[in-house]
Amino acid sequence: MNQYWSRRIQNIVPYTPGEQPKERKFIKLNTNECPYPPSHKVIEAIRAAAGDTLRLYPDPECTELRAAIAKREGLDMGQVFCGNGSDEILAFAFQAFFDSDREVVFPKITYSFYPVYTDFFGLKRREVPMNPDFSDPIDLLCGKNGGVVLANPNAPTGIAVGLGAVEKLLNANPDVVVIVDEAYIDFGADSAVKLIDHYPNLLVVQTASKSRALAGLRVGWAMGNENLISAMRCVRDSINSYTVDRLAQAGAAAAIEDEEYFQSIRRRIMDTRIWAEKTLKGKGFTVLSSQTNFVFVSHPKHTGRELLDGLRNKGILVRWWDKPEIRDWLRISIGTDEEMEALVKALDELI
Amino acid sequence: MNQYWSRRIQNIVPYTPGEQPKERKFIKLNTNECPYPPSHKVIEAIRAAAGDTLRLYPDPECTELRAAIAKREGLDMGQVFCGNGSDEILAFAFQAFFDSDREVVFPKITYSFYPVYTDFFGLKRREVPMNPDFSDPIDLLCGKNGGVVLANPNAPTGIAVGLGAVEKLLNANPDVVVIVDEAYIDFGADSAVKLIDHYPNLLVVQTASKSRALAGLRVGWAMGNENLISAMRCVRDSINSYTVDRLAQAGAAAAIEDEEYFQSIRRRIMDTRIWAEKTLKGKGFTVLSSQTNFVFVSHPKHTGRELLDGLRNKGILVRWWDKPEIRDWLRISIGTDEEMEALVKALDELI
């Protein structure tokens, strides 16, 4: 019992973010950041916004940024909500749509922040076992639920489901909100945004952190029916009305508008991923079929922990979880071609 | 009953931020922003940070910014926590320290986000009536409480209490956390930071939005015993590990380090406030004694609403609340000398 701490946090196990090393220079393949810099238009927009107007509060409604997203996605502005990264968006959504007496369901192997949210917000959860091939157990998410969360593509597996599976979930859970977390959608899978006009219970969450190369800027957004977006606003205005600062709004809007640069870097990352998958399979690794900017791999003769530590000693950070189902697996972010060649060389020496 | 909305938000009345006009050019004295731009060192630091490293997550612990604050305040780094504005800091603190079965107490006339937090986080509250002169009812906050929140100086009254009153509160409530919200501390009142080493139940909250001219950057911080700071970290890592982006961390650190500029603008604002208080009193206004960057005023012959609307028609925004105790009052932010002269002229025409 920690004096002064509320009951809410006495026993919570918070999320552990991936290591952000400060001293030594690592090849950083541990947090799914983009290996390429943001568009130069983003930098220009931020530098232009860095001036006297910083003394004024930002636009709480992120009007220009929402307009850029709505235009790109073919939505109305009232169907878009912006926040401080998709983690904040998810935290708001859990508070906006889920109640303590109903079970929130999600796959057992998925983004490790979801169970933290259910614990912290006092919600019940049911974690559904994966299919044997690590794909998402869609049928088992279709029972009587108090809410559904699906990362598509999933992390850390990297596996995506098609829109048919998403529609199945939406139809099977018409009375509750289905959150589709599309943090990695731009690396090959099909976005559920086009379903928004047909399903009032669909909330799609995306981020500028991965395919827009802006993890350091903290911008995420939710897209859905206007009623759901109003609920998100209601949560925000009960916590902190201005979560996206002036520089982040300007930079993210410029990123959304630079479609050409976006296409070029996501294409490069996907090409490198295809090369990495093929190369690692050739070395005897099992590699799940990824539609993300990372690969999830295991080796028949080496534990995940062994490879994690070995790579770290060679100056390469990757991500590993101490969970029974995935203890023998590593999640490796896709870096530049040079970084991935260094990874393959290091693994070669370890196996 | 709004379908899909959680019970938590079905009946909530969220906070209403002050108007941020987009079209017409107003003299903006409604949100207590700084009338002077941020230090040029802040702008330089932001421009330097706006580069390739935006692709990487920010330092979740805000190490350099916390070091700058700790150095200035004579604290250890473990006694400082940074977040996305002091609203986020307060929302985290309400979740970290207050429980649903104990009454959180604060003065009846104070920052209007506090009752929103208690509603939203499912906490009980007791709002204590003000002293007849609108000063804080310190004695009435000293009973058996589940937590205390004191804005010092208070808003919208502008009145500050001395550290003796703060110590009285801390001693009378040893088992619960006392949050001292010092958003306006730099305009003349005495900070409770120097009490931190003596009171394990004291959390002091400050912001870069007012005296550092950085409302648009979203940076606030909490200072207190390491145990309380750990609780704040625990809440953050259960919601969103990275709430302060790379640019905000760099800019705020530069602002904290530019003591000379800080001193010059806070001095200017206080000088203008002294002039405004004297001038408005000379015109027949009642003006509470302010130690902030705003004044709280009323006129014996005109309602608050009348003056609010009249000023708006003349292109000047101020803040008014439709609450019985303060319906005849206006909160007017201190602008530049020119802006305050325009305000006085406009009021002259209205009364």
Side-chain angles (χ1 to χ4, degrees):
Chain A
M1 173 83 191
N2 205 327
Q3 204 195 353
Y4 301 124
W5 291 35
S6 67
R7 284 193 301 268
R8 182 196 290 264
I9 59 169
Q10 288 286 345
N11 298 309
I12 198 106
V13 180
Y15 178 74
T16 310
E19 188 181 355
Q20 299 289 343
K22 286 203 197 78
E23 306 96 33
R24 191 175 151 193
K25 191 88 184 154
F26 283 97
I27 294 180
K28 209 169 160 303
L29 305 176
N30 66 331
T31 51
N32 297 343
E33 291 149 332
C34 181
Y36 304 109
S39 158
H40 69 92
K41 292 181 183 169
V42 169
I43 306 302
E44 284 156 23
I46 289 169
R47 291 190 177 157
D52 289 2
T53 53
L54 283 176
R55 72 182 181 83
L56 302 172
Y57 283 97
D59 172 10
E61 298 302 341
C62 304
T63 309
E64 284 176 36
L65 173 55
R66 278 167 55 232
I69 295 166
K71 185 179 171 200
R72 181 176 191 273
E73 304 293 343
L75 297 172
D76 292 333
M77 278 184 62
Q79 295 174 304
V80 182
F81 174 89
C82 295
N84 184 283
S86 58
D87 286 346
E88 181 179 89
I89 297 280
L90 290 166
F92 284 3
F94 273 63
Q95 293 172 88
F97 306 120
F98 301 151
D99 275 315
S100 58
D101 51 357
R102 304 181 305 173
E103 269 180 355
V104 178
V105 299
F106 43 83
K108 186 146 178 58
I109 302 301
T110 190
Y111 185 31
S112 47
F113 227 132
Y114 304 156
V116 178
Y117 292 139
T118 53
D119 281 345
F120 187 73
F121 297 124
L123 304 167
K124 292 179 198 153
R125 67 167 171 267
R126 194 173 74 244
E127 295 173 88
V128 177
M130 310 306 284
N131 295 333
D133 62 357
F134 276 119
S135 64
D136 288 315
I138 296 296
D139 287 338
L140 299 178
L141 297 167
C142 285
K144 183 94 186 136
N145 304 316
V148 182
V149 190
L150 181 77
N152 190 38
N154 197 10
T157 64
I159 299 171
V161 298
L163 288 189
V166 175
E167 286 202 77
K168 188 172 182 182
L169 271 184
L170 289 161
N171 285 317
N173 298 280
D175 299 328
V176 299
V177 171
V178 176
I179 298 174
V180 181
D181 177 353
E182 296 190 340
Y184 300 103
I185 197 68
D186 296 318
F187 302 104
D190 214 0
S191 172
V193 164
K194 60 177 76 70
L195 304 178
I196 284 173
D197 284 334
H198 307 288
Y199 294 94
N201 58 331
L202 168 63
L203 192 80
V204 178
V205 178
Q206 295 187 0
T207 176
S209 296
K210 314 295 181 183
S211 56
R212 309 283 173 176
L214 287 173
L217 202 59
R218 313 307 303 131
V219 179
W221 52 92
M223 297 171 283
N225 184 285
E226 299 205 356
N227 176 49
L228 302 190
I229 298 303
S230 295
M232 294 294 284
R233 260 203 305 272
C234 186
V235 170
R236 180 197 62 205
D237 289 339
S238 302
I239 293 175
N240 177 12
S241 303
Y242 311 94
T243 69
V244 188
D245 67 56
R246 284 178 172 266
L247 306 173
Q249 291 189 32
I256 298 292
E257 284 161 359
D258 194 348
E259 186 71 22
E260 193 184 332
Y261 185 75
F262 162 75
Q263 292 295 348
S264 76
I265 59 174
R266 80 182 188 104
R267 190 70 257 165
R268 266 167 96 175
I269 291 163
M270 287 191 287
D271 288 345
T272 306
R273 181 189 70 211
I274 291 164
W275 175 87
E277 285 179 340
K278 200 179 138 204
T279 307
L280 290 171
K281 280 181 186 168
K283 307 271 179 199
F285 282 87
T286 305
V287 185
L288 297 188
S289 173
S290 169
Q291 293 192 275
T292 64
N293 67 341
F294 57 83
V295 285
F296 200 51
V297 308
S298 68
H299 192 277
K301 296 199 185 138
H302 298 272
T303 69
R305 184 66 205 236
E306 207 181 313
L307 294 174
L308 172 83
D309 293 340
L311 286 171
R312 195 189 161 86
N313 287 337
K314 292 175 179 295
I316 301 176
L317 299 181
V318 299
R319 194 97 196 247
W320 172 80
W321 286 269
D322 192 9
K323 288 184 187 172
E325 301 88 346
I326 54 173
R327 198 168 278 151
D328 283 333
W329 294 77
L330 294 179
R331 191 195 71 186
I332 304 173
S333 307
I334 301 298
T336 61
D337 290 342
E338 297 68 38
E339 287 172 329
M340 297 313 279
E341 279 159 19
L343 169 88
V344 169
K345 181 165 171 285
L347 284 172
D348 250 344
E349 291 164 10
L350 292 171
I351 61 178
Chain B
M1 174 78 193
N2 206 326
Q3 205 195 352
Y4 302 125
W5 291 35
S6 66
R7 284 192 302 269
R8 183 195 289 263
I9 60 169
Q10 288 286 345
N11 298 308
I12 198 107
V13 180
Y15 179 73
T16 310
E19 188 181 353
Q20 299 290 341
K22 286 202 196 77
E23 308 95 31
R24 190 174 151 194
K25 190 87 186 156
F26 284 97
I27 293 181
K28 207 168 162 304
L29 306 176
N30 66 331
T31 50
N32 297 343
E33 290 149 332
C34 181
Y36 304 109
S39 157
H40 70 92
K41 291 182 184 168
V42 169
I43 307 302
E44 284 156 24
I46 290 169
R47 291 189 177 156
D52 290 1
T53 52
L54 283 175
R55 71 181 181 84
L56 302 173
Y57 282 97
D59 172 10
E61 298 301 342
C62 303
T63 308
E64 284 176 34
L65 174 55
R66 279 166 56 230
I69 295 166
K71 185 179 171 199
R72 181 177 191 273
E73 303 293 345
L75 297 172
D76 291 333
M77 280 185 61
Q79 295 174 305
V80 183
F81 174 88
C82 296
N84 184 284
S86 58
D87 286 346
E88 181 180 88
I89 296 281
L90 290 166
F92 284 2
F94 273 64
Q95 293 171 90
F97 306 119
F98 301 151
D99 275 314
S100 58
D101 51 357
R102 305 181 305 174
E103 269 180 356
V104 178
V105 300
F106 43 83
K108 185 144 178 59
I109 303 300
T110 190
Y111 185 31
S112 48
F113 227 132
Y114 305 156
V116 178
Y117 292 138
T118 53
D119 282 346
F120 186 74
F121 298 124
L123 305 167
K124 292 180 198 149
R125 67 166 170 267
R126 193 172 76 243
E127 295 174 88
V128 177
M130 309 307 286
N131 295 332
D133 62 357
F134 276 118
S135 64
D136 288 314
I138 297 295
D139 288 338
L140 299 178
L141 297 168
C142 286
K144 181 92 187 139
N145 303 318
V148 182
V149 190
L150 181 78
N152 190 37
N154 198 8
T157 64
I159 300 172
V161 298
L163 287 189
V166 175
E167 285 201 78
K168 188 172 182 182
L169 270 185
L170 289 161
N171 285 316
N173 298 282
D175 299 327
V176 300
V177 171
V178 176
I179 298 175
V180 181
D181 177 354
E182 296 190 339
Y184 301 102
I185 197 69
D186 296 318
F187 303 104
D190 214 0
S191 171
V193 165
K194 60 176 77 69
L195 304 178
I196 284 173
D197 284 335
H198 306 289
Y199 294 94
N201 57 331
L202 167 63
L203 192 80
V204 178
V205 178
Q206 295 187 359
T207 175
S209 295
K210 314 295 180 185
S211 56
R212 309 283 173 176
L214 288 173
L217 201 59
R218 316 306 303 128
V219 180
W221 52 92
M223 296 171 285
N225 182 285
E226 300 206 354
N227 176 47
L228 302 190
I229 298 303
S230 295
M232 295 293 284
R233 259 203 307 270
C234 186
V235 170
R236 180 197 63 206
D237 289 338
S238 302
I239 293 174
N240 177 12
S241 304
Y242 310 94
T243 68
V244 188
D245 67 55
R246 284 178 171 265
L247 306 172
Q249 291 190 32
I256 298 292
E257 284 161 0
D258 194 348
E259 185 72 20
E260 192 183 334
Y261 184 76
F262 163 75
Q263 292 294 350
S264 75
I265 59 173
R266 80 181 189 104
R267 191 69 256 167
R268 266 166 97 173
I269 291 163
M270 288 190 286
D271 288 346
T272 307
R273 180 188 72 211
I274 291 164
W275 175 87
E277 284 178 341
K278 198 177 141 203
T279 307
L280 291 171
K281 279 180 185 167
K283 308 271 179 198
F285 282 87
T286 305
V287 185
L288 297 188
S289 173
S290 169
Q291 293 192 274
T292 63
N293 67 341
F294 57 84
V295 286
F296 199 50
V297 309
S298 68
H299 192 277
K301 296 197 184 138
H302 298 271
T303 68
R305 184 66 204 236
E306 210 181 313
L307 295 174
L308 173 83
D309 293 340
L311 286 172
R312 195 189 161 86
N313 287 336
K314 292 175 179 294
I316 300 176
L317 299 181
V318 300
R319 193 98 196 246
W320 172 78
W321 287 267
D322 192 9
K323 287 185 188 172
E325 301 87 348
I326 54 173
R327 198 169 279 150
D328 284 334
W329 294 77
L330 293 180
R331 191 195 69 186
I332 304 172
S333 308
I334 301 299
T336 61
D337 290 342
E338 297 68 38
E339 288 173 328
M340 297 313 279
E341 279 159 18
L343 169 87
V344 169
K345 182 166 171 286
L347 284 173
D348 250 344
E349 292 163 10
L350 292 171
I351 59 178

